């Protein structure tokens, strides 16, 4: 079976919620990373067999964002595009799915990644409340609206924020009850695994410190594609740096924040943020890379997805790690760098405990340049973005093995092991 190598890894800067990237449609972020990725890889778009993207908050303005992005990028119309949703796991899962296409002989080159513009996520009215009485008319602007379709300039109906509603509906309420946020299972993790508020705040503070240190050292420069944002007046705004990290973050400020839940430990300060951004990598079969003379950043040594009770979720992370390491024939102690996506500090520390990581591992190997609490968490893009940063850090350190793992709504965990030769 063909080994899969990774190259052309790029990402946009991460935008704050309703921040600098809010006016940029998701597919335009896709255009930027797609074109830069193939350029970095030294290949032409027409050599790509397929584009696979994760997006958890798809909307009616850019359906199947993988296909829309590649078309907007001017790529050949005969390149297929596929969009997937495994919540927070999506960006990494797109990479794994692309790898499986290559491993099974269905493709030689796949561009895979994730896009999320949470600032532009829709508000919506559930169809069952409006469709039955709508349509069957010809609108002077929009033309014929078949029954069950149309526009509804009305109020007094359920009007949901897709972001918040998705958290509630990531599992059937009839079976598991209503989770009004992912934070509810992070609190369970804290209680079950003995994670204290102080430990969570310390991790959050360190996350910001590491992210800002990396930014100031220019570590992310090579991997970031700047985004040019037109302005109504004056020259365009060029965003080339991650927006979320806060320079004034300290333990005193974090300790003053009230927990979201009574008697809980999770606060806005030790939890990830909602963000915008995109990232992709180019995947090739090893033989194709050799034929084209492509210099890989790393190869995929193993990957796996696991699941658990969606009211807990966090145990799915160590389960996925064990499976991915088993596929790679490696042990956790052999990992030189580890990315554990920071949905919540409590979740990271609980997962690290279940993974058997030591204090030294947490200090020297895990999230060395920050993660979701500091850099942000553009849901379906995060898995790819963390992989991009991991690959470049491995290159800087001449590290051999890297591990990335993420938890996802609905009780999922995903992990991938990469190897540099």
């Amino acid at each position: 079976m063909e080994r899969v190598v990774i190259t052309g890894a790029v990402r946009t800067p991460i935008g704050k919620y309703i921040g600098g990237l809010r006016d940029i449609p998701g597919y335009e972020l896709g255009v930027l990373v797609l074109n830069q990725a193939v350029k970095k890889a030294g290949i032409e778009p027409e050599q790509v067999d397929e584009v696979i993207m994760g997006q958890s908050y798809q909307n009616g303005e850019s359906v199947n964002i993988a296909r829309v992005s590649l078309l907007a990028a001017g790529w050949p119309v005969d390149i297929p595009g596929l969009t997937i949703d495994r919540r927070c796991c999506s960006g990494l899962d797109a990479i794994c799915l692309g790898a499986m296409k290559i491993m099974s002989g269905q493709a030689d080159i796949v561009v895979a990644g994730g896009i999320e513009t949470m600032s532009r996520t829709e508000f919506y009215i559930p169809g069952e409340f409006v469709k039955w009485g709508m349509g069957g008319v010809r609108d002077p602007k929009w033309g014929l609206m078949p029954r069950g379709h149309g526009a509804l300039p009305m109020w007094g109906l359920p009007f949901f924020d897709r972001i918040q509603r998705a958290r509630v509906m990531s599992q059937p309420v009839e079976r598991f009850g209503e989770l009004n946020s992912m934070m509810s299972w992070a609190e369970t993790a804290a209680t079950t695994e003995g994670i204290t508020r102080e430990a969570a705040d310390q991790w959050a503070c360190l996350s910001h410190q590491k992210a800002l240190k990396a930014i100031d050292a220019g570590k992310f420069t090579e991997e970031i594609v700047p985004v040019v944002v037109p302005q109504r007046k004056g020259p365009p705004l060029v965003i080339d740096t991650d927006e979320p990290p806060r320079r004034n973050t300290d333990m005193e400020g974090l300790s003053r924040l009230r927990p979201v839940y009574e008697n809980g430990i999770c606060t806005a300060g030790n939890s990830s943020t909602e963000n915008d951004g995109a990232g992709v990598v180019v995947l090739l079969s090893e033989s194709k890379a050799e034929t084209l003379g492509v210099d890989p950043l790393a190869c995929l040594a193993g990957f796996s997805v696991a699941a658990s009770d969606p009211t807990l979720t966090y145990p799915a992370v160590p389960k996925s790690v064990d499976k991915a390491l088993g596929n790679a024939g490696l042990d956790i102690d052999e990992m030189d760098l580890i990315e554990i996506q920071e949905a919540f500090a409590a979740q990271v520390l609980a997962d690290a405990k279940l993974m058997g990581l030591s204090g030294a591992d947490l200090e020297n190997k895990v999230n060395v340049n920050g993660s979701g609490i500091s850099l942000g968490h553009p849901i379906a893009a995060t898995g790819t973005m963390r992989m991009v940063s991991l690959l470049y850090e491995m290159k800087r350190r001449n590290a051999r093995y890297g591990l990335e793992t993420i938890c996802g709504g609905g009780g999922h965990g995903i992990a991938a092991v990469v190897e540099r030769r």
Side-chain angles (χ1 to χ4, degrees):
M1 187 178 294
E2 279 268 35
R3 287 170 63 92
V4 176
V5 301
I6 309 174
T7 190
V10 296
R11 67 177 180 90
T12 67
I14 300 171
K16 288 183 179 179
Y17 186 64
I18 317 181
L21 302 183
R22 67 183 182 184
D23 293 325
I24 308 297
Y27 67 85
E28 291 188 11
L29 297 179
V31 169
L32 292 173
V33 291
L34 285 174
N35 283 332
Q36 185 64 16
V38 293
K39 181 179 179 181
K40 281 180 100 53
I43 63 172
E44 298 298 326
E46 53 264 29
Q47 294 175 283
V48 175
D49 295 306
E50 186 160 9
V51 173
I52 304 174
M53 290 285 193
Q55 188 184 31
S56 293
Y57 296 109
Q58 299 182 51
N59 59 57
E61 298 301 306
S62 54
V63 296
N64 190 1
I65 202 164
R67 175 67 170 166
V68 174
S69 295
L70 75 89
L71 293 175
W75 288 21
V77 297
D78 56 359
I79 299 176
L82 171 66
T83 302
I84 65 169
D85 175 16
R86 207 193 294 266
R87 312 315 297 163
C88 307
C89 303
S90 303
L92 184 53
D93 210 12
I95 295 173
C96 298
L97 180 56
M100 286 187 278
K101 291 254 185 180
I102 294 171
M103 294 165 71
S104 63
Q106 298 298 308
D108 287 317
I109 303 176
V110 175
V111 179
I115 301 172
E116 208 74 84
T117 51
M118 299 181 77
S119 297
R120 299 172 68 90
T121 298
E122 294 171 327
F123 284 75
Y124 70 98
I125 299 170
E128 66 266 26
F129 290 99
V130 297
K131 285 191 173 183
W132 314 153
M134 287 183 62
V137 299
R138 184 173 294 278
D139 185 273
K141 181 177 181 180
W142 304 111
L144 176 66
M145 292 186 181
R147 182 161 297 281
H149 297 277
L152 187 71
M154 293 176 58
W155 298 94
L157 292 167
F159 197 49
F160 291 130
D161 173 359
R162 191 177 296 277
I163 294 175
Q164 181 58 29
R165 185 64 172 168
R167 293 164 178 154
V168 176
M169 301 305 293
S170 287
Q171 56 284 311
V173 174
E174 298 81 6
R175 180 176 177 185
F176 296 100
E178 183 172 306
L179 300 181
N180 57 7
S181 74
M182 298 293 105
M183 189 180 285
S184 59
W185 57 254
E187 292 290 1
T188 302
T191 300
T192 305
E193 307 302 332
I195 310 301
T196 66
R197 166 69 185 273
E198 182 180 12
D201 285 348
Q202 286 175 339
W203 185 265
C205 188
L206 188 60
S207 181
H208 281 276
Q209 291 171 355
K210 290 187 289 188
L212 290 165
K213 183 178 179 180
I215 290 170
D216 292 344
K219 282 190 172 185
F220 299 141
T221 302
E222 187 178 5
E223 67 194 54
I224 286 180
V225 184
V227 180
V228 179
V229 184
Q231 302 295 295
R232 291 181 180 178
K233 295 182 180 180
L237 176 66
V238 178
I239 301 176
D240 58 6
T241 303
D242 298 317
E243 293 185 323
R246 299 185 297 273
R247 292 190 179 274
N248 62 350
T249 300
D250 57 27
M251 282 296 291
E252 182 181 356
L254 289 170
S255 67
R256 288 199 300 264
L257 296 175
R258 294 179 60 183
V260 174
Y261 294 113
E262 188 176 358
N263 300 320
I265 74 161
C266 293
T267 70
N270 58 36
S271 305
S272 60
T273 54
E274 298 168 342
N275 302 96
D276 307 330
V280 297
V281 299
V282 179
L283 305 170
L284 302 91
S285 62
E286 195 168 39
S287 60
K288 190 69 171 181
E290 291 174 358
T291 299
L292 296 176
V294 170
D295 185 23
L297 286 166
C299 69
L300 270 171
F303 51 87
S304 189
V305 178
S308 67
D309 184 333
T311 64
L312 300 176
T313 297
Y314 76 96
V317 165
K319 287 173 65 176
S320 69
V321 169
D322 287 345
K323 292 170 70 175
L325 288 171
N327 291 340
L330 296 167
D331 186 80
I332 190 72
D333 293 335
E334 296 178 82
M335 298 299 104
D336 299 301
L337 289 170
I338 300 172
E339 291 282 337
I340 306 176
Q341 163 56 14
E342 295 169 355
F344 308 95
Q347 159 259 315
V348 175
L349 294 171
D351 283 330
K353 177 182 177 182
L354 294 178
M355 291 162 62
L357 297 176
S358 66
D361 291 332
L362 287 170
E363 182 178 353
N364 300 316
K365 293 184 178 183
V366 177
N367 301 357
V368 295
N369 292 319
S371 185
I373 292 172
S374 54
L375 291 171
H377 185 17
I379 304 297
T382 300
T384 308
M385 290 180 151
R386 293 285 83 78
M387 176 59 73
V388 170
S389 296
L390 173 63
L391 292 170
Y392 283 104
E393 188 63 27
M394 290 176 68
K395 179 182 176 182
R396 281 189 290 271
R397 298 185 180 213
N398 195 29
R400 182 171 184 185
Y401 294 116
L403 168 70
E404 179 189 355
T405 184
I406 302 179
C407 58
H412 281 116
I414 188 170
V417 179
V418 289
E419 178 186 3
R420 290 185 73 252
R421 292 182 170 181

